[in-house]
Amino acid sequence: MASKNNVTELILTGLFQDQGVQRVCFVVFLPVYLATVVGNGLIILTVGISESLSSPMYFFLGCLSLVEISYSSTVVPKFITDLLAKIKTITLEGCLAQIFFFHFFGVTEILLLTVMAYDRYVAICKPLYYTTIMSRPVCHLLVAGSWLGGIIHSMVQILVTVQLPFCGPNVIDHYFCDLHPLFKMACIDTFVEGVIVLANSGLISVFSFLILVSSYIVILVNLRNHSAEGRRKALSTCASHITVVILFFGPAIFLYMRPSSTFTEDKLVAVFYMVITPMLNPIIYTLRNAEVKIAMRRLWGKKVNSGVE
């Protein structure tokens, strides 16, 4: 790779240029990232230990929390430490690694959210067959398929990128590495590569989004045959998932479904789905789900009591 490239190190412009503003961002975003790790870690621990949270819905929730921690950790730790640095650099190899894992965990999350929508569809529309359709082996297979889909997607993105020769300039006007800013440094025309990358991301996103929308349309139509109490309980279990889907897909659609730019607003939107959203997800699921809250109280109540003894 080194013989093909004049670029071995990249400079990131960061979120803001003002050093004082960057220090304020450091003070704000460090607790947010720690809350993301602790909050999602608490959900993983609670789902893993609590016998009352043994249904497929909570199994998928625990897997989603694991992906959230991994997804956020691909970019946020370096982003936070760079807020205290005057010159923000990253090696070309480090940039490619960041792109790989960013896309890997991002697509894995998209596929997991789709699996969770299918789980809600089966639970509400085919309740008598739920335990048969969503058996433990099937759940494991669906999660493994989500991770495999993320790996295949990222491998395609990276294989398209690593063969490009990079000449510079070696400045990326962002706070993390992504494919389109990196393509601007290529010595050759990257139209074909850009189409492949866009098709690879677009097909997965569109296909998953259509399944998500279709699942909830069928669910809403099916709920007309339920009692008022049944509709309330079903909508309550779906509300958290729908909120997380909107928080994840909304900013991504804003950024990637229009011409690329380097406006500060785009960076701020990227901060929202990279830093803020992973922290909000555990809050959304615990505040709106009584079973998770009860399980957490029991779990930590036992720990406190055993500590006192």
Side-chain angles (χ1 to χ4, degrees):
M1 188 187 302
S3 62
K4 293 168 53 179
N5 297 320
N6 296 327
V7 176
T8 58
E9 188 175 63
L10 310 175
I11 298 174
L12 303 171
T13 60
L15 187 60
F16 298 106
Q17 301 301 314
D18 186 272
Q19 289 293 314
V21 175
Q22 291 193 87
R23 292 191 189 96
V24 172
C25 290
F26 176 84
V27 173
V28 172
F29 292 137
L30 179 59
V32 170
Y33 174 67
L34 294 176
T36 298
V37 175
V38 172
N40 283 289
L42 183 58
I43 286 182
I44 295 170
L45 184 63
T46 304
V47 170
I49 293 177
S50 301
E51 295 180 359
S52 60
L53 303 181
S54 59
S55 70
M57 179 175 71
Y58 298 113
F59 171 69
F60 294 136
L61 176 57
C63 294
L64 180 66
S65 292
L66 176 61
V67 172
E68 290 284 22
I69 293 174
S70 306
Y71 176 68
S72 182
S73 297
T74 60
V75 170
V76 179
K78 176 165 175 53
F79 163 57
I80 291 174
T81 54
D82 280 349
L83 289 170
L84 300 179
K86 289 185 178 180
I87 301 177
K88 306 159 183 48
T89 61
I90 185 171
T91 63
L92 181 59
E93 291 79 6
C95 182
L96 292 171
Q98 193 176 72
I99 290 172
F100 175 84
F101 288 107
F102 167 68
H103 281 267
F104 168 40
F105 292 117
V107 168
T108 300
E109 178 164 355
I110 288 174
L111 296 177
L112 263 179
L113 289 171
T114 306
V115 166
M116 293 173 77
Y118 175 70
D119 171 70
R120 291 299 84 207
Y121 158 75
V122 176
I124 294 169
C125 300
K126 300 180 181 294
L128 297 179
Y129 303 99
Y130 180 68
T131 54
T132 303
I133 296 175
M134 300 303 293
S135 63
R136 185 61 67 173
V138 170
C139 292
H140 289 160
L141 190 62
L142 289 171
V143 170
S146 299
W147 286 83
L148 181 61
I151 291 175
I152 294 173
H153 165 79
S154 291
M155 288 298 296
V156 172
Q157 306 292 69
I158 289 300
L159 289 175
V160 168
T161 307
V162 293
Q163 61 185 344
L164 295 174
F166 297 105
C167 301
N170 66 331
V171 178
I172 292 182
D173 188 13
H174 217 308
Y175 65 87
F176 70 96
C177 288
D178 205 354
L179 288 167
H180 292 296
L182 193 60
F183 281 0
K184 292 179 181 179
M185 297 187 299
C187 309
I188 61 174
D189 180 67
T190 58
F191 175 78
V192 174
E193 287 80 5
V195 170
I196 294 173
V197 163
L198 183 62
N200 186 26
S201 299
L203 286 174
I204 293 175
S205 300
V206 171
F207 181 68
S208 299
F209 191 72
L210 288 176
I211 293 177
L212 284 164
V213 172
S214 301
S215 297
Y216 281 107
I217 289 175
V218 174
I219 287 171
L220 289 174
V221 171
N222 189 270
L223 284 177
R224 293 184 303 176
N225 302 322
H226 287 61
S227 64
E229 179 62 19
R231 284 196 296 268
R232 187 193 66 78
K233 289 184 67 176
L235 289 173
S236 177
T237 60
C238 293
S240 299
H241 184 251
I242 293 173
T243 304
V244 170
V245 167
I246 292 172
L247 287 174
F248 186 85
F249 277 92
I253 290 172
F254 174 80
L255 286 178
Y256 293 107
M257 297 301 288
R258 64 192 184 90
S260 61
S261 64
T262 56
F263 296 137
T264 302
E265 303 92 83
D266 286 9
K267 296 181 185 179
L268 292 174
V269 172
V271 167
F272 182 80
Y273 74 76
M274 284 298 305
V275 183
I276 307 299
T277 300
M279 180 198 67
L280 292 177
N281 288 353
I283 297 174
I284 292 167
Y285 278 110
T286 52
L287 288 180
R288 296 193 60 89
N289 194 300
E291 288 183 328
V292 174
K293 286 191 288 187
I294 292 170
M296 282 187 173
R297 290 195 194 104
R298 286 176 179 170
L299 174 64
W300 294 105
K302 288 180 181 178
K303 287 186 176 293
V304 170
N305 291 334
S306 62
V308 172
E309 293 173 3

